[in-house]
Amino acid sequence: MDWDQSYRSNETPWERGEPAPPLVEYLESHSITGRVLVPGCGLGHDVRFLASTGCDAVGVDLAKTALSRARAYIEPERGSVNYQLADVLDSGSGIGDGSFDYVFEHTCFCAIDPGRRKDYVKAVQRLLKPGGQFLAILFTNLDDPNGPPFPTSYAEVERLFSPFFVGIRHWKPTRFYSGRENEESMCLMRRS
Ligand SMILES: C[S@@+](CC[C@H](N)C(=O)[O-])C[C@H]1O[C@@H](n2cnc3c(N)ncnc32)[C@H](O)[C@@H]1O
């Protein structure tokens, strides 16, 4: 999958021009503080929204075009926003091992080749501080094995993360992008 080509040709059906409604809903009643990494951030709507609540948000993507568009948006007055061009699976990326309080996942896990999901878990573990938290919106209503997006289930996420993370909560949000109603769930885990 050539992600940059998708952005250059505007073939980006995932792009909704606003932060993910389940994240907005979550942050109305919970707070996230410190450094937050958003892997596969695309145009960065979730990054800027997280920063607007006061945290230091770092968006990582391997598509240069996505990040140049992300940087063109006005940054929120609170918190801080940074973007980094990198492959989140690459242990030599220099994103900042052990420096994040949170990783916020939204449509990156389902975008990665399923054969590399263990590498994704290792990357999240490596990037988080000990005790850091993984907050995810899981796009769980996918069934085409020829993705991306590739099929995803909470059961698989739990199985992959459980050797290194303790599950805190798994729930259904009540707000969704139009067309994704009841197709997403959220989970929160802590790096052990
Ligand atoms: C389906 S898009 C979702 C983008 C954004 N999260 C959103 O919801 O608008 C997946 C994104 O992950 C990025 N991506 C895929 N594999 C990646 C990797 N290994 N490292 C960093 N970014 C990656 C792609 O370039 C793309 O922007």
Side-chain angles (χ1 to χ4, degrees):
M1 174 83 184
D2 184 341
W3 292 99
D4 200 67
Q5 174 57 31
S6 297
Y7 285 102
R8 288 198 306 274
S9 56
N10 291 316
E11 289 168 51
T12 54
W14 57 84
E15 167 50 35
R16 300 299 181 93
E18 60 175 357
L23 175 65
V24 176
E25 179 179 52
Y26 180 79
L27 290 176
E28 282 174 4
S29 52
H30 301 81
S31 63
I32 286 186
T33 53
R35 272 170 63 74
V36 185
L37 173 70
V38 183
C41 67
L43 300 202
H45 307 297
D46 295 334
V47 179
R48 290 184 296 279
F49 185 72
L50 281 157
S52 75
T53 69
C55 53
D56 298 318
V58 178
V60 169
D61 207 291
L62 44 64
K64 194 174 165 189
T65 304
L67 293 190
S68 70
R69 290 181 189 167
R71 289 188 177 105
Y73 282 87
I74 294 170
E75 290 185 10
E77 289 177 7
R78 293 186 67 202
S80 70
V81 169
N82 279 288
Y83 300 105
Q84 190 170 338
L85 184 66
D87 178 342
V88 76
L89 304 179
D90 176 5
S91 58
S93 65
I95 299 169
D97 287 358
S99 72
F100 291 93
D101 298 283
Y102 283 85
V103 169
F104 170 65
E105 154 63 39
H106 172 218
T107 56
C108 185
F109 183 83
C110 67
I112 285 169
D113 186 300
R116 301 217 57 198
R117 285 181 170 175
K118 285 191 174 168
D119 294 331
Y120 178 92
V121 176
K122 276 188 209 152
V124 173
Q125 186 198 19
R126 187 175 64 244
L127 292 159
L128 280 172
K129 294 176 181 174
Q133 301 195 45
F134 176 67
L135 175 68
I137 301 174
L138 303 173
F139 193 9
T140 47
N141 197 26
L142 304 167
D143 53 13
D144 181 1
N146 303 312
F150 295 99
T152 299
S153 69
Y154 176 65
E156 186 193 3
V157 169
E158 193 178 32
R159 182 178 61 74
L160 289 170
F161 277 77
S162 61
F164 320 104
F165 285 77
V166 176
I168 299 174
R169 207 179 142 205
H170 175 229
W171 71 100
K172 276 264 174 204
T174 65
R175 279 190 236 159
F176 304 91
Y177 284 134
S178 159
R180 282 200 207 162
E181 291 81 3
N182 298 312
E183 296 190 346
E184 292 172 313
S185 69
M186 290 190 77
C187 67
L188 182 65
M189 298 181 183
R190 180 179 294 110
R191 196 193 127 172
S192 47

